[in-house]
Amino acid sequence: NNIFLKKKILIYGLGKSGISTYNFLRQKAEVYLFDDNFINNFRFNKKKLSYSEILKSNFDFIIISPGIDSSKCRLSKYLKQNYSKIYTDLDVFYSFFKSDSITITGTNGKSTTAKLLHDVLRDQKKDVRLVGNIGNPVLSEKKITKKTFFVIEASSYQLDYSKIFQSKYSVILNITPDHIERHKSFKNYIEAKFSLLN
């Protein structure tokens, strides 16, 4: 049984990945939405919760968008208290599809490598999708079959928040100091990347 089915879920961050997660889960679970930006919330009046409603709510899962810095956002205290409930769209994807995938991370060259791999596989007549940090969020893909192969570009932010996501193949291209303001130290940044290999 899928861990996300029929659960009470908060999607935090209504950018591309948050909205695709909402569209994917809305028939499968009890989904609520929140974004620090008032204008983003406005589009989903019925499903959005106010800050105070969230603090009083108990969710099974919190799906967080990679762009959100959990230590600097509006819900930072709430996230700290509920850290074990934080998951990502990659986790949702993995729990439903467990498709063959190759995930690429690293500081530089992710997009180029992902694009080249995608093009090579497409030339071999594979049903291949280029998703993640590049182009489409992973949950926006349609008509997925057992033969669909995913080339996923993953950022350190996504990997840092992910709890169950696994990839059949994983590539770490290179690691140089980057996003230190968010990860707090180079060691944390490296650990986020290497979580892909666990």
Side-chain angles (χ1 to χ4, degrees):
N1 207 355
N2 192 289
I3 62 167
F4 297 103
L5 278 177
K6 298 190 167 60
K7 292 293 196 289
K8 187 176 181 185
I9 298 172
L10 175 69
I11 295 174
Y12 183 19
L14 300 177
K16 272 195 335 194
S17 79
I19 288 168
S20 69
T21 306
Y22 168 65
N23 288 331
F24 182 83
L25 284 175
R26 64 183 177 182
Q27 309 289 334
K28 301 173 179 79
E30 187 187 340
V31 183
Y32 297 91
L33 307 170
F34 185 78
D35 194 288
D36 287 358
N37 181 338
F38 178 72
I39 290 157
N40 284 351
N41 280 323
F42 203 61
R43 295 154 57 189
F44 296 97
N45 247 347
K46 287 191 181 62
K47 284 288 179 183
K48 78 166 172 50
L49 294 178
S50 69
Y51 179 70
S52 56
E53 284 170 326
I54 286 173
L55 300 187
K56 284 183 266 179
S57 298
N58 188 21
F59 298 98
D60 297 307
F61 298 104
I62 301 163
I63 312 282
I64 190 168
S65 292
I68 289 172
D69 182 344
S70 63
S71 63
K72 289 202 180 103
C73 57
R74 268 193 79 191
L75 294 181
S76 60
K77 222 156 127 189
Y78 183 78
L79 293 178
K80 208 173 181 174
Q81 291 160 350
N82 292 280
Y83 197 77
S84 64
K85 296 179 179 179
I86 295 175
Y87 286 76
T88 66
D89 62 337
L90 289 178
D91 290 323
V92 175
F93 163 75
Y94 179 73
S95 72
F96 279 93
F97 298 111
K98 297 197 174 53
S99 295
D100 279 354
S101 60
I102 181 161
T103 303
I104 296 158
T105 194
T107 308
N108 298 301
K110 292 191 292 294
S111 298
T112 308
T113 308
K115 179 87 177 72
L116 285 167
L117 259 169
H118 169 265
D119 292 353
V120 166
L121 289 164
R122 200 185 51 197
D123 286 347
Q124 300 297 315
K125 306 287 182 273
K126 302 268 187 236
D127 171 18
V128 59
R129 315 292 174 89
L130 183 61
V131 293
N133 226 16
I134 186 172
N136 282 341
V138 68
L139 292 174
S140 63
E141 289 298 314
K142 305 274 186 276
K143 297 191 175 112
I144 295 166
T145 70
K146 290 258 184 289
K147 289 190 171 155
T148 307
F149 192 91
F150 287 83
V151 177
I152 302 168
E153 182 192 318
S155 70
S156 55
Y157 301 160
Q158 281 171 303
L159 296 171
D160 203 19
Y161 289 139
S162 293
K163 292 208 169 53
I164 60 170
F165 173 70
Q166 290 175 15
S167 187
K168 186 167 183 182
Y169 308 99
S170 300
V171 180
I172 299 176
L173 297 174
N174 54 59
I175 302 182
T176 53
D178 198 14
H179 304 303
I180 304 302
E181 73 296 331
R182 169 92 170 249
H183 290 288
K184 307 292 183 269
S185 74
F186 187 39
K187 182 174 174 284
N188 291 348
Y189 174 60
I190 291 168
E191 281 173 4
K193 296 281 189 199
F194 270 85
S195 65
L196 183 56
L197 303 183
N198 288 346

